[in-house]
Amino acid sequence: MLVTFSCDNELFDSEYKKDESRLFDKYYGLVDNTSLEKADRLKYIDSMVDFTRNKPKDTLMRNHLIDISISYGRLGVQDSSFKYKHRALQLSTKINDSLGLAKSNYSLGLYHLNNDALDSAYTYFYNSEKLYDQIENSELGGTSALTMAITQKRVRDYVGAQESAIKAIELLEQTDEVRYLASAYNTLASVSRSLGKYESSIEYYTKVYDYREGLKKESLKKDDKLLNSSTLNNLGMVYMDMQEYPKAISNFKKGLSYDSLQIKKIKSYIRLIDNLGYAEYKNGNLESFPDLLLEALNKSREVNDRLAMVSSGMHLSEIYFEKGDTALSKYYAENAYKTAKEVTYNDGILGSLELLMGTSDPNDGIAYGKEYIRISDSLQMEERAFQNKFAQVRFETDKLEVAKNKATERSRILIIIFSISVIIFLIGYILLQRRNNRKELEYQEGQQKANEEIFNLMLAQQGKLEEGKHLAKQRISEELHDGILSRLFGLRLSLDSLNNKHGKEVETLRSSYIDQLKDLGQEIRKISHDLNNENFTQDTLYPDVLKKLLKDQFEAQHVTYEFLYDQTINWDLITNSKKVHVYRIIQECLMNINKHANAKHITVTFKSKDASVELTIEDDGVGMDTAKAKSGIGMKNIKSRVAQIAGSYKIISKMNLGTQIQISFN
């Protein structure tokens, strides 16, 4: 159930209706409002939690879970904060969200770092840095490496901290995050100082100072100008280690010169006056002793800065010891020891024990010495354990990464093998298909040649048939002319001889026979003449083949047809190849008419026009859509054959008004 408050109820309702996603951000902003009571802010977090119920498990939900964990952390509810950080991690793992995994690991690392669980913190930071490296996010990868370096530095893993800080710098230099880059150099400078590399430490602190001076000009925050007070303090401490006290004093005083430092950065102010008082003493200037050191101690007590209390106490103890005032030296050393133990400040514990060994009587000194050795050994073992733990984390994580990379490489190799296999298969298939196409083309060419040969045989056979018919007709003509006509002529002569006989009846009969014989002679002569003089040239053969094609196609279907052709067409000038194509074109058209036209009458016409022959195939059928017809296989075949005879064609058709195909060729 969403928790609302009377003053914002209408606003929330309207915002919810306008854009639901803005409602969560509204609650998140109210949780961050420090002017509200903690109880009210917790209720807004409850509303954020309710908002996420029954929402899709996606990257937006992951962001919401991280925001909820941050909100709980701001209000000090660490258990709930930790719970939602883990939920975000689990969700990111479930949805394979690399960015979410990196963010969740970093968030959990910060949680454990704040709770001094340094081994767990390092594990999460290391995982986070690796994940950001995989997704090539330099900014967040750099911050992960930076926090990892800080964690390593806390357990004195200086070599590891140095490597992590350098990695952070390399990544952050690719971004505009100057603050984080300055922090990375600051960590590297601190590590270098701990390793005794003072020149490098000074170089890095100088870079930090320069970066932060740049921030002073660009930043809108007034407090940014005070950042370098701590940088100057750190530089002074390096010079103290090098026993170059004047340079140390110069940096401490420069740090104290920032306006309002005592008000806005009291802890920096305390450390600067503490270190300045100690440096002045080391440099032989006793005028400020013990005023600056006592001021630092008193102010640290006022703000409960116990680390500063330990430092000031140890400085006072050391100086009073050198002055021979063992009582005051022991007093300040004991207070420093007690305070250091309360906050587990190991450097302070060991330093104050070392002072107590010199200021106490022999028995107490021995006891403090044993305690010093015990704690020192314990710290060394703890530091070594942490370093081993960090090394183990790196080893195990890297081992998992190597295994993952091997698995990825195996998958990549399998994909490559599969891809190559597919490519080989496709190449083989293409080659096989091309070979089949080539064979099919060869088959079609062979079939075309066979068709031409068959057609030539048909023409030759038809020629022989016509030649035989011509010879038969000639023989019959000769027999009619030389045999029957001769005998009839003799009969006529015989009948003519009857003219010597007299009698009306004989004359009438004789005249009738003679007239009949004359008529028969004329008829036989006419037949003989027609048979002997009919043109049976090769020109008449091709049209006869086409007539037979029409007869075979339509005679049995009770479809009437006409075949008209121009007698002036010289078929001898047309190659047999063209005749075959024309024959196949007509055959294809007639087949289409049979299948689709539902025609009652067909006309095939050949005309001679200039140097071309025009073929027209016309039917009185149902007509057709010429656009669709041109995409059909039959028309494509016709178009191909027309192209092969170097001709042109045109289709004229209207629905229910028949179709006309016009083809022209030379």
Side-chain angles (χ1 to χ4, degrees):
M1 180 179 70
L2 294 176
V3 179
T4 58
F5 299 87
S6 59
C7 61
D8 298 312
N9 192 32
E10 292 183 3
L11 174 62
F12 284 176
D13 287 345
S14 62
E15 289 294 323
Y16 185 87
K17 292 175 182 177
K18 290 179 183 177
D19 187 353
E20 183 181 351
S21 64
R22 294 176 57 191
L23 184 58
F24 184 92
D25 296 335
K26 195 74 174 180
Y27 289 130
Y28 185 67
L30 287 167
V31 172
D32 201 31
N33 187 352
T34 56
S35 65
L36 297 174
E37 295 292 333
K38 181 177 179 179
D40 291 338
R41 294 164 71 187
L42 285 171
K43 288 179 181 179
Y44 282 116
I45 296 179
D46 292 338
S47 298
M48 292 166 65
V49 172
D50 287 335
F51 181 86
T52 61
R53 299 189 195 281
N54 302 319
K55 291 291 190 297
K57 307 299 183 184
D58 53 16
T59 55
L60 181 60
M61 171 63 80
R62 174 257 293 166
N63 288 336
H64 287 338
L65 293 174
I66 291 175
D67 288 342
I68 290 171
S69 71
I70 292 172
S71 297
Y72 274 123
R74 285 172 180 168
L75 297 183
V77 187
Q78 297 301 329
D79 291 343
S80 296
S81 177
F82 181 75
K83 179 174 74 173
Y84 281 96
K85 290 179 190 294
H86 259 290
R87 285 190 181 180
L89 180 64
Q90 291 168 354
L91 176 59
S92 299
T93 304
K94 182 177 180 181
I95 64 176
N96 196 26
D97 174 18
S98 297
L99 180 60
L101 283 168
K103 285 184 175 181
S104 299
N105 273 281
Y106 182 75
S107 180
L108 284 163
L110 289 177
Y111 173 84
H112 288 294
L113 181 62
N114 293 331
N115 288 277
D116 292 326
L118 301 182
D119 52 346
S120 297
Y122 179 83
T123 301
Y124 285 115
F125 287 141
Y126 189 76
N127 290 336
S128 175
E129 191 272 327
K130 287 292 183 184
L131 287 164
Y132 281 129
D133 188 52
Q134 289 175 11
I135 60 178
E136 299 181 351
N137 190 320
S138 299
E139 178 184 335
L140 297 177
T143 56
S144 294
L146 172 58
T147 49
M148 190 162 58
I150 293 170
T151 305
Q152 291 170 294
K153 177 176 171 291
R154 284 183 58 175
V155 297
R156 300 176 184 271
D157 181 10
Y158 296 129
V159 175
Q162 181 176 254
E163 292 176 356
S164 298
I166 291 172
K167 177 67 178 293
I169 290 169
E170 290 173 350
L171 292 171
L172 292 169
E173 282 181 338
Q174 303 173 31
T175 73
D176 297 326
E177 290 297 328
V178 179
R179 284 187 179 83
Y180 288 126
L181 183 59
S183 296
Y185 271 112
N186 192 71
T187 302
L188 183 59
S190 177
V191 170
S192 297
R193 179 193 170 197
S194 299
L195 292 172
K197 299 178 180 179
Y198 300 126
E199 296 296 335
S200 296
S201 181
I202 291 171
E203 177 187 349
Y204 297 140
Y205 276 131
T206 303
K207 282 183 176 289
V208 175
Y209 181 85
D210 291 339
Y211 279 125
R212 287 178 175 172
E213 280 297 298
L215 281 176
K216 281 171 55 179
K217 299 174 183 177
E218 300 171 5
S219 176
L220 297 178
K221 294 183 179 180
K222 295 181 180 179
D223 289 349
D224 282 346
K225 66 181 182 179
L226 304 176
L227 284 172
N228 266 335
S229 60
S230 60
T231 308
L232 292 166
N233 180 69
N234 292 332
L235 270 169
M237 294 299 295
V238 178
Y239 284 118
M240 289 291 291
D241 293 339
M242 298 171 68
Q243 298 182 357
E244 296 184 17
Y245 301 121
K247 290 184 179 179
I249 292 170
S250 175
N251 280 283
F252 293 142
K253 287 183 176 181
K254 188 175 180 180
L256 287 167
S257 68
Y258 285 94
D259 293 336
S260 305
L261 181 66
Q262 187 174 349
I263 299 172
K264 294 182 177 179
K265 277 193 168 294
I266 183 62
K267 291 186 177 182
S268 294
Y269 176 78
I270 293 170
R271 281 160 177 73
L272 282 165
I273 60 173
D274 176 43
N275 291 328
L276 178 59
Y278 184 66
E280 292 278 11
Y281 173 78
K282 286 291 188 180
N283 197 43
N285 183 7
L286 304 180
E287 293 179 1
S288 62
F289 178 80
D291 296 340
L292 288 176
L293 293 172
L294 289 175
E295 182 185 357
L297 181 60
N298 292 330
K299 286 189 176 295
S300 63
R301 287 172 177 170
E302 289 175 8
V303 298
N304 197 31
D305 185 354
R306 288 186 281 186
L307 294 181
M309 290 165 59
V310 173
S311 177
S312 299
M314 289 172 61
H315 286 159
L316 286 166
S317 176
E318 178 185 343
I319 295 172
Y320 278 117
F321 181 76
E322 290 180 2
K323 284 181 167 293
D325 193 340
T326 55
L328 275 175
S329 177
K330 184 176 182 181
Y331 168 77
Y332 286 116
E334 286 178 340
N335 286 333
Y337 176 64
K338 178 181 178 183
T339 305
K341 286 185 67 175
E342 289 173 355
V343 295
T344 320
Y345 178 26
N346 295 323
D347 286 341
I349 292 172
L350 293 175
S352 56
L353 282 172
E354 190 173 2
L355 288 168
L356 286 170
M357 284 189 289
T359 58
S360 302
D361 58 56
N363 291 330
D364 290 339
I366 292 172
Y368 285 130
K370 289 180 178 180
E371 181 68 5
Y372 180 93
I373 294 171
R374 184 189 69 80
I375 294 174
S376 179
D377 291 345
S378 176
L379 288 175
Q380 288 181 9
M381 291 179 63
E382 184 178 349
E383 290 165 4
R384 194 175 296 113
F386 273 117
Q387 293 171 12
N388 292 337
K389 177 68 174 179
F390 293 169
Q392 184 180 358
V393 168
R394 291 194 295 270
F395 173 74
E396 291 179 352
T397 304
D398 292 345
K399 185 169 68 173
L400 289 173
E401 188 173 355
V402 169
K404 181 181 178 182
N405 290 338
K406 285 183 178 179
T408 303
E409 182 66 18
R410 284 197 297 270
S411 299
R412 190 178 69 84
I413 292 172
L414 288 174
I415 291 172
I416 292 173
I417 293 173
F418 175 76
S419 300
I420 293 173
S421 301
V422 170
I423 292 171
I424 292 173
F425 172 78
L426 289 175
I427 292 173
Y429 175 79
I430 292 169
L431 293 175
L432 181 62
Q433 192 67 25
R434 288 183 64 180
R435 189 180 69 177
N436 291 339
N437 291 340
R438 187 169 60 252
K439 286 185 176 180
E440 184 176 355
L441 183 61
E442 291 173 354
Y443 171 76
Q444 290 176 353
E445 291 176 352
Q447 190 178 38
Q448 178 70 17
K449 291 180 181 178
N451 288 339
E452 290 183 11
E453 290 176 1
I454 291 171
F455 190 75
N456 290 333
L457 288 173
M458 289 171 59
L459 292 177
Q461 187 66 26
Q462 186 71 15
K464 289 181 180 180
L465 178 62
E466 293 299 328
E467 184 181 0
K469 288 167 64 177
H470 175 70
L471 292 174
K473 288 179 181 180
Q474 186 177 9
R475 181 178 57 80
I476 293 171
S477 173
E478 290 174 351
E479 288 181 355
L480 286 173
H481 186 273
D482 297 339
I484 297 174
L485 189 60
S486 296
R487 288 197 300 270
L488 287 175
F489 181 74
L491 180 60
R492 191 191 70 176
L493 292 176
S494 296
L495 290 173
D496 282 343
S497 65
L498 293 177
N499 289 333
N500 296 324
K501 295 180 180 181
H502 299 283
K504 187 175 181 178
E505 183 178 349
V506 173
E507 290 179 0
T508 302
L509 181 62
R510 182 178 55 194
S511 180
S512 174
Y513 285 146
I514 290 171
D515 290 338
Q516 290 179 20
L517 288 172
K518 286 180 179 180
D519 291 340
L520 182 59
Q522 288 294 331
E523 184 175 350
I524 292 171
R525 187 176 288 105
K526 182 177 182 301
I527 292 170
S528 176
H529 179 76
D530 289 342
L531 287 172
N532 194 45
N533 290 290
E534 186 177 352
N535 186 6
F536 284 98
T537 64
Q538 192 73 4
D539 292 346
T540 64
L541 300 179
Y542 185 67
D544 289 341
V545 172
L546 298 179
K547 286 179 185 178
K548 186 174 184 304
L549 174 62
L550 281 164
K551 180 179 179 182
D552 292 341
Q553 287 282 343
F554 298 111
E555 191 171 54
Q557 300 181 29
H558 307 292
V559 176
T560 60
Y561 60 89
E562 287 183 273
F563 180 73
L564 307 173
Y565 68 96
D566 193 337
Q567 296 285 346
T568 63
I569 297 173
N570 188 350
W571 293 103
D572 289 337
L573 298 178
I574 299 173
T575 65
N576 284 340
S577 175
K578 284 189 178 182
K579 290 176 184 176
V580 171
H581 285 302
V582 172
Y583 181 88
R584 294 302 184 196
I585 289 169
I586 296 173
Q587 189 179 45
E588 183 70 35
C589 291
L590 297 181
M591 185 171 63
N592 287 339
I593 291 170
N594 270 333
K595 286 183 178 180
H596 309 295
N598 196 22
K600 301 297 182 184
H601 184 77
I602 294 94
T603 303
V604 178
T605 306
F606 282 94
K607 287 184 180 180
S608 176
K609 185 176 181 181
D610 297 331
S612 301
V613 177
E614 291 187 352
L615 164 63
T616 303
I617 304 166
E618 186 174 6
D619 68 75
D620 61 353
V622 297
M624 63 179 171
D625 184 343
T626 56
K628 292 183 178 179
K630 288 180 180 179
S631 63
I633 295 176
M635 289 308 301
K636 286 182 179 179
N637 291 338
I638 291 172
K639 181 180 178 181
S640 175
R641 290 187 182 276
V642 170
Q644 291 184 65
I645 62 175
S648 62
Y649 79 101
K650 181 169 64 174
I651 303 174
I652 303 172
S653 181
K654 292 184 179 180
M655 299 306 293
N656 300 318
L657 293 178
T659 301
Q660 186 181 93
I661 299 177
Q662 298 175 355
I663 299 169
S664 177
F665 63 95
N666 295 325

